[in-house]
Amino acid sequence: MDYIDPKYRDNAPRVVEQPDGTEAFVVPGMKRPVALGFIDGAGFSIKERNARAKRLKFSDVREAAYGGRARLPYMDQDGIAAEIIYASVGMGLCMHRDAEYKDACMKAYNRWLQAMCNEAPDRIFGLAQTAVLSVDSAIEDFRRAKEMGMVGMMMPGRPIHEDYDHPDYDALWECATDLGLPICFHILTSRDGSLNMPHRGHEMNNFLGIIRAVQDVVGLMVLGGVFERHPKLKLVCAEGDAGWMPHYMYRMDHAAKFNVEGGVINGLSKLPSEYIKSNVWMTFQDDLTAFNSLHLMPYTQLLWASDFPHTDSTWPRSQQLLAEHTAHLQEHQRQAIMRENAAKLFQLPAGTESWRMHDKAAAA
């Protein structure tokens, strides 16, 4: 609350005790509270996590989930030298229906994140958030993020005005390119891929579909000619795995070739898959299929993550998991996926032994 515009201070997101005695993040305008167990669940067994969720209060949350200095021992334990931070509660904020309120919360988050990263400026790097109220306001958000030392921009899955392939956004993509800030689309940042969407059968069936939203963004940007017009724009799909990408590229090319002679559709100069290979990166934490598919997609576009401190995290067994998953890789492939791709993509300073990406809880 200390970071938000005073206008919204009395209505800011906050931790509130629930009827069952646990505590959760409550965001006015969002139907469901954000459970703390989701934010801080790394390293616990299913039984431990479920038991902990029944009694969890914010005082039980490990400080490493929100503190820069406190995070460093956990990084050391997992063999991680540097991290790039995504928002957690901010994922839900991307779907908030009150645009001005969402904007205020995201600006507060960015201020808080800057302070958090400043606790370990050589090891922790942040992705700002923008509500994309308009193209002009988003450009200002990008410029401000660069000034704050952020290395990329996390964006809502769906904008307020038109869609991201509309020519009105060309000025924003030009700005992002000039500033060297990748645009990042995380799962669960649009209603298309929300866990609360109606689903068929078992509730887990809905979980299996959440990557569709980031796939749609890739298809939108590629087929809409965004990368044709802005060949240096960099797009990151976060936490949606990567093993699906070879088939997705094939499917896009197949559709193009089925409808247009040679597969080069109007507005493009090459096959859709070529834009993915040059302009789209994917993060994943536990996707053996991705490591087994490097003959079908460029390893230079893959970014490993651990997702600490979330429930999907590979912490504290990341090194053991990677030793198993990458045993068949050549050393230059392993080094690229574990550190060099991220270092180059986000223009991180040299001299760090390892790089990775993951998610982090926001406390705006």
Side-chain angles (χ1 to χ4, degrees):
M1 289 186 289
D2 294 338
Y3 295 95
I4 202 166
D5 188 309
K7 175 182 176 181
Y8 295 97
R9 195 153 291 165
D10 291 340
N11 206 32
R14 64 193 68 219
V15 176
V16 177
E17 184 172 348
Q18 302 300 294
D20 62 0
T22 64
E23 292 180 340
F25 272 106
V26 172
V27 182
M30 290 174 57
K31 293 181 179 180
R32 290 179 173 83
V34 181
L36 297 179
F38 159 74
I39 291 172
D40 183 31
F44 298 102
S45 68
I46 296 174
K47 182 178 180 180
E48 291 170 336
R49 191 169 66 234
N50 289 341
R52 189 167 179 260
K54 294 178 181 179
R55 56 175 174 75
L56 197 62
K57 297 181 180 293
F58 190 79
S59 58
D60 301 316
V61 173
R62 292 167 293 187
E63 190 179 350
Y66 56 85
R69 280 185 295 271
R71 195 181 198 87
L72 299 181
Y74 289 79
M75 294 165 59
D76 293 340
Q77 183 178 355
D78 217 20
I80 305 301
E83 298 182 336
I84 296 173
I85 307 297
Y86 279 84
S88 291
V89 177
M91 288 189 284
L93 283 173
C94 285
M95 294 177 276
H96 204 287
R97 296 185 185 278
D98 185 332
E100 297 291 339
Y101 180 79
K102 174 168 63 176
D103 181 62
C105 289
M106 289 183 174
K107 283 182 168 61
Y109 169 77
N110 293 344
R111 298 182 193 109
W112 169 82
L113 180 60
Q114 181 185 34
M116 186 264 195
C117 292
N118 284 343
E119 293 184 12
D122 296 327
R123 300 188 66 182
I124 298 177
F125 303 88
L127 294 179
Q129 282 197 282
T130 175
V132 196
L133 293 182
S134 68
V135 173
D136 289 342
S137 70
I139 288 174
E140 288 304 310
D141 289 343
F142 270 73
R143 290 173 176 166
R144 190 178 301 109
K146 187 71 174 183
E147 293 171 357
M148 296 172 75
M150 303 299 180
V151 298
M153 183 66 79
M154 184 172 166
M155 304 182 69
R158 282 187 177 269
I160 298 168
H161 168 72
E162 296 293 343
D163 214 336
Y164 290 125
D165 63 338
H166 193 278
D168 284 358
Y169 285 94
D170 282 348
L172 178 59
W173 307 142
E174 182 178 351
C175 173
T177 299
D178 290 344
L179 294 175
L181 294 177
I183 56 174
C184 305
F185 293 90
H186 200 288
I187 59 169
L188 304 177
T189 57
S190 69
R191 289 186 178 82
D192 309 85
S194 170
L195 288 174
N196 299 323
M197 289 290 289
H199 57 275
R200 299 177 68 181
H202 195 282
E203 61 184 10
M204 198 176 295
N205 203 26
N206 197 23
F207 171 79
L208 296 175
I210 61 178
I211 64 171
R212 276 295 303 146
V214 292
Q215 290 174 334
D216 284 346
V217 172
V218 173
L220 174 80
M221 302 288 274
V222 169
L223 300 175
V226 174
F227 300 127
E228 176 75 19
R229 301 192 298 272
H230 305 278
K232 294 184 179 180
L233 181 65
K234 302 171 181 178
L235 184 152
V236 182
C237 295
E239 207 182 336
D241 291 335
W244 52 268
M245 187 55 79
H247 180 264
Y248 192 68
M249 290 191 292
Y250 154 76
R251 189 68 178 166
M252 291 182 76
D253 286 353
H254 172 78
K257 292 175 182 178
F258 186 79
N259 286 279
V260 181
E261 189 71 30
V264 179
I265 68 175
N266 186 38
L268 305 185
S269 62
K270 50 190 177 182
L271 290 173
S273 63
E274 295 303 315
Y275 298 95
I276 294 176
K277 293 175 182 177
S278 60
N279 295 86
V280 179
W281 282 256
M282 291 142 282
T283 85
F284 63 98
Q285 58 263 18
D286 186 2
D287 185 356
L288 181 58
T289 304
F291 285 121
N292 287 339
S293 303
L294 300 190
H295 61 297
L296 298 172
M297 62 180 169
Y299 68 87
T300 52
Q301 307 304 106
L302 302 181
L303 308 166
W304 177 76
S306 87
D307 198 36
F308 181 86
H310 289 179
T311 52
D312 271 355
S313 179
T314 56
W315 183 92
R317 296 187 63 256
S318 298
Q319 294 300 322
Q320 297 94 310
L321 181 75
L322 289 170
E324 176 186 344
H325 283 192
T326 68
H328 63 291
L329 268 59
Q330 298 178 38
E331 184 59 22
H332 72 277
Q333 295 174 320
R334 184 181 297 108
Q335 293 296 322
I337 296 170
M338 300 309 140
R339 64 176 188 185
E340 292 167 7
N341 293 344
K344 182 179 180 181
L345 174 65
F346 291 104
Q347 301 181 29
L348 303 181
T352 310
E353 294 179 355
S354 175
W355 304 94
R356 76 154 167 94
M357 304 178 64
H358 70 88
D359 292 57
K360 164 65 192 58

